[in-house]
Amino acid sequence: MSRAIGLLIGFAADRLVGDPRRFHPVAGFGQTAARLEKHLYADSRVNGTVHTAVLVGGATVLGLAAERLTRRHPILHAAVTAAATWTVLGARSLDREAETMAALLEEKDIPAARDRLSHLCARDATDLEADELARATVESLAENTSDACVAPLLWGGVLGVPGLLGYRAANTLDAMVGYKSPKYLNFGWASARLDDVLNLLPARVCALLTGLVAGRVQETTRVWRRDAPKHPSPNAGPVEAAFAGALGLTLGGTNSYGTYAEDRGTLGDGPAPTVADVRRTAALARWVGMAAAVLAAAIGGKGKRWS
């Protein structure tokens, strides 16, 4: 029960407070990863695998130690779980970025919106206009709702603090080096594949929750099953397709990432996103996050702490 309580308190803290402005543990992990990369980097899958194993393994061991040290103290265990949950979640920050993008697009400040998009995704925004910026925002909100909220909560429900910290470490590494660019195609391979594996189930749970909270289960499921395979990502595909079905939009297309372009297929049947759809997507993402927190707490309430 202490795991469930901790997950709910941590989720509430993220929703109310968001990420700390300074000394964020995830930012510290990223700095550590960047320093280690300087020593280990080579255009090699072996080096990338070592990089991933050391960092994700270290975070998971830290979580395991925290679980064992608090296993006989329910209040302390709940507090540690809450702190870890708050640390790894990014739902509130995602919501703030959505609000910022919506405001910039509504004000028709396209140059500022292009600059701000980098806070959500890595695509090249140089030539994007308002509706394409809206599409990029909607797709990023969908994908990150799974990555930054649903997945860590589910791993926390199943495995507790080790699941929370290990997942966030893997996902952070994927965001840093898991690209198909010439530099990271080999070195980032292990991080990208591990992140794919860890998100296989959470992404599909996120897609299901999206249909449930939107009250469009049949339409969401239809679009998900039909269109998700078109997407190059095994996990972003189901989530983005589910959001497309739930919102009645068509997502996808060819995205530029500077050094390469990627065709993400066409997902959904409705019109392409416009500026007004950014706030709709953010609202849907908030409800999906709340549903995921309840589900994770239910799972965590039945789980056993590490002995």
Side-chain angles (χ1 to χ4, degrees), residues 245-287:
L247 294 165
L249 298 173
T250 292
L251 302 178
T254 300
N255 300 334
S256 172
Y257 295 91
T259 58
Y260 68 98
E262 186 175 76
D263 181 2
R264 295 200 164 194
T266 301
L267 317 174
D269 297 310
T274 63
V275 172
D277 293 310
V278 173
R279 294 190 188 275
R280 291 179 61 219
T281 307
L284 177 58
R286 286 194 291 272
W287 282 105

Side-chain angles (χ1 to χ4, degrees), residues 8-24:
L8 290 175
I9 292 174
F11 177 78
D14 176 68
R15 289 303 318 171
L16 293 172
V17 181
D19 292 335
R21 299 297 185 183
R22 300 177 63 188
F23 308 115
H24 195 302

Side-chain angles (χ1 to χ4, degrees), residues 173-198:
L173 284 182
D174 178 60
M176 294 178 70
V177 303
Y179 297 108
K180 295 179 180 179
S181 63
K183 179 178 180 179
Y184 289 123
L185 185 61
N186 288 314
F187 185 78
W189 175 84
S191 293
R193 296 293 77 74
L194 177 60
D195 186 71
D196 284 344
V197 171
L198 293 179

Side-chain angles (χ1 to χ4, degrees), residues 1-14 77-86 88-89 152-161 164 292-301:
M1 183 59 70
S2 58
R3 179 183 295 175
I5 293 171
L7 288 166
L8 290 175
I9 292 174
F11 177 78
D14 176 68
H77 181 256
V80 168
T81 303
T85 304
W86 176 50
V88 305
L89 290 184
L153 283 169
L154 292 182
W155 280 111
V158 174
L159 296 178
V161 179
L164 289 163
V294 172
L295 177 59
I299 295 171

